[in-house]
Amino acid sequence: MGVVNLHGPGVLGGFFVKRQLVEWIPDDIRRQLPEGHKHTWVQPQTAFKRLSDANESAWHSMCRDCLCQLTVTVEDSSGTVNTCADGTWHHFHSTLSTAVDASSDQEAGPEATCSGRARCCKCALAANLELRPPIIEPTMTDALASARRSAHSHHPTQGTRELLCTVSTMFKLVRNACTGNTRPVRLDSDAPRRLLKFDAPCNHILEILGFELTNDTEFHPPGIVRVAEEALDADNPSRAARLAQVRTSLMFRRLERARQELCVWGGQVQRGVPKEERQAVLAYKPAADALATLLGAGGYAQRAGTLTLLVAGGGEHSALDDAYRQLGVPDDAADALVAWSYTRLTEEDQSADPVFGASARARFDSLVTISAARSSDELSAL
């Protein structure tokens, strides 16, 4: 697939957030997901920053279902994100790459990132975007879920309980590793064996997370965890150097990301068990509205008395859906906003014939389709 929405026609900020960003999926991950997958952005409730050196100006979120991580850094020299230069709405032109770029690290190998950028053509608002494929890929989560649930095909809730036990135990192991806990996990210990099972799907995920199986008897945390333990020792004369080593380590950053992924994954799994059995530590909050606010894409005029036609999952594209895409507006946008976007795209058209050319005809056909579907006098009058 390569690149989605190059520097072509702009789209309304609400369309960029509701449609383009939720459909921005790395190529390798898309092949592992159901047809028509769309991101549902959430943020883990658990935070840990004792050793991290994260860029606080960046905004982070994660897909609840596929665990892809979105990072947004806004550049706004005007100082007001939600107000565009002419007092209307942001009109974004964007580049969203679905091919991953890898930055190498001797300790942990490559880290894949898809890069993107969005810029409003009318004001100073711009944003750099990064989409990271999950460390725990969908094929891995599916394999572990299948292994736990197939063992209790007669009792699905019990299979979900065992899956939750495994995921929450992995979460605790990674959380402890992030605090410098170097204690290994013995495969012959009763509690770990009961909670983790140490079957092939579980062991594969632990190895992906950086845990090393030694002599088929113990899983040891990644080597950087020992450095983290030394960095937390106030009496260690090399504490500053150790702290710098941790902060620049890709392996440690991957551990922190994995902790967040396990938190969200566990939060999803525990929706299948009774409320009294759920764990507060595995919690997340919706983040779609926060993302819209961050990019000044929230609060656009909507059709009165209607509900959005957007769906969270698959479904075939209809002519009406294609029309909204052509004009770059959400399908719950008010008629005045659809008209504004149509006019804006006409003004921006750089083709040889912006009035009767192919792009103009496609744009007008889309307007007619939306107008007919809505029985809109305002749109039919354009």
Side-chain angles (χ1 to χ4, degrees):
M1 185 168 290
V3 174
V4 176
N5 192 38
L6 292 174
H7 301 288
V11 299
L12 194 75
F15 184 87
F16 178 68
V17 170
K18 282 189 171 183
R19 298 300 292 264
Q20 291 184 327
L21 285 184
V22 301
E23 296 174 357
W24 184 24
I25 304 171
D27 292 333
D28 290 344
I29 301 303
R30 184 183 296 276
R31 288 189 280 269
Q32 303 178 39
L33 295 171
E35 182 73 21
H37 171 81
K38 292 179 172 63
H39 296 306
T40 300
W41 302 118
V42 298
Q43 292 177 317
Q45 296 279 53
T46 56
F48 175 75
K49 298 181 180 178
R50 289 183 66 193
L51 289 169
S52 64
D53 192 24
N55 181 4
E56 295 300 330
S57 65
W59 182 90
H60 302 278
S61 183
M62 184 175 294
C63 176
R64 180 191 67 190
D65 302 306
C66 72
L67 305 180
C68 284
Q69 185 183 82
L70 176 68
T71 300
V72 181
T73 305
V74 174
E75 304 170 5
D76 178 35
S77 59
S78 68
T80 307
V81 170
N82 289 308
T83 303
C84 197
D86 61 3
T88 54
W89 301 277
H90 293 300
H91 203 239
F92 285 123
H93 297 254
S94 64
T95 300
L96 301 175
S97 172
T98 58
V100 297
D101 298 321
S103 60
S104 62
D105 182 283
Q106 290 184 350
E107 180 184 43
E111 182 178 37
T113 303
C114 297
S115 300
R117 181 170 175 80
R119 176 185 56 81
C120 177
C121 57
K122 303 187 300 169
C123 70
L125 180 65
N128 292 316
L129 305 107
E130 290 183 341
L131 185 68
R132 289 185 172 85
I135 296 169
I136 309 171
E137 296 185 353
T139 52
M140 303 178 196
T141 61
D142 291 346
L144 185 63
S146 177
R148 294 294 174 271
R149 288 167 177 158
S150 63
H152 298 277
S153 56
H154 60 288
H155 196 328
T157 302
Q158 184 58 32
T160 302
R161 286 192 180 99
E162 294 209 350
L163 177 60
L164 178 60
C165 283
T166 299
V167 175
S168 62
T169 302
M170 288 180 177
F171 170 80
K172 293 170 185 176
L173 289 177
V174 173
R175 183 187 59 185
N176 291 344
C178 288
T179 62
N181 189 328
T182 59
R183 181 179 178 181
V185 182
R186 292 191 58 84
L187 274 66
D188 58 359
S189 296
D190 290 340
R193 189 170 66 249
R194 174 173 52 83
L195 297 172
L196 293 171
K197 309 299 183 190
F198 295 117
D199 53 357
C202 170
N203 291 354
H204 180 52
I205 292 177
L206 288 175
E207 290 169 356
I208 290 295
L209 297 179
F211 286 77
E212 302 172 4
L213 181 60
T214 305
N215 298 325
D216 291 329
T217 59
E218 294 179 333
F219 269 109
H220 287 261
I224 192 63
V225 175
R226 185 167 298 281
V227 180
E229 182 183 44
E230 296 170 355
L232 290 168
D233 183 1
D235 297 328
N236 189 340
S238 60
R239 183 176 185 273
R242 293 296 189 224
L243 184 59
Q245 185 177 352
V246 170
R247 285 178 171 173
T248 57
S249 167
L250 180 56
M251 186 68 247
F252 194 81
R253 294 198 302 272
R254 282 172 56 87
L255 272 177
E256 290 195 314
R257 280 184 52 212
R259 176 186 56 82
Q260 295 173 353
E261 290 182 15
L262 288 163
C263 175
V264 171
W265 183 17
Q268 271 290 83
V269 171
Q270 68 181 3
R271 295 174 65 182
V273 301
K275 290 185 177 180
E276 61 270 16
E277 298 180 25
R278 299 177 186 177
Q279 303 178 33
V281 71
L282 301 176
Y284 55 79
K285 60 182 180 181
D289 289 345
L291 177 59
T293 300
L294 179 73
L295 293 174
Y300 59 85
Q302 296 181 332
R303 299 175 64 194
T306 61
L307 296 175
T308 177
L309 301 177
L310 291 175
V311 294
E316 297 182 359
H317 288 312
S318 65
L320 182 59
D321 182 70
D322 290 337
Y324 284 114
R325 289 179 180 273
Q326 179 71 32
L327 296 186
V329 291
D331 52 13
D332 59 352
D335 289 353
L337 198 50
V338 175
W340 177 88
S341 183
Y342 174 80
T343 303
R344 182 70 188 176
L345 290 172
T346 301
E347 294 171 349
E348 289 184 351
D349 194 337
Q350 299 296 315
S351 65
D353 188 353
V355 178
F356 298 107
S359 60
R361 291 197 301 271
R363 196 162 53 241
F364 182 74
D365 289 345
S366 297
L367 180 67
V368 170
T369 299
I370 296 172
S371 176
R374 295 183 171 196
S375 300
S376 170
D377 293 337
E378 181 175 357
L379 296 179
S380 62
L382 288 177

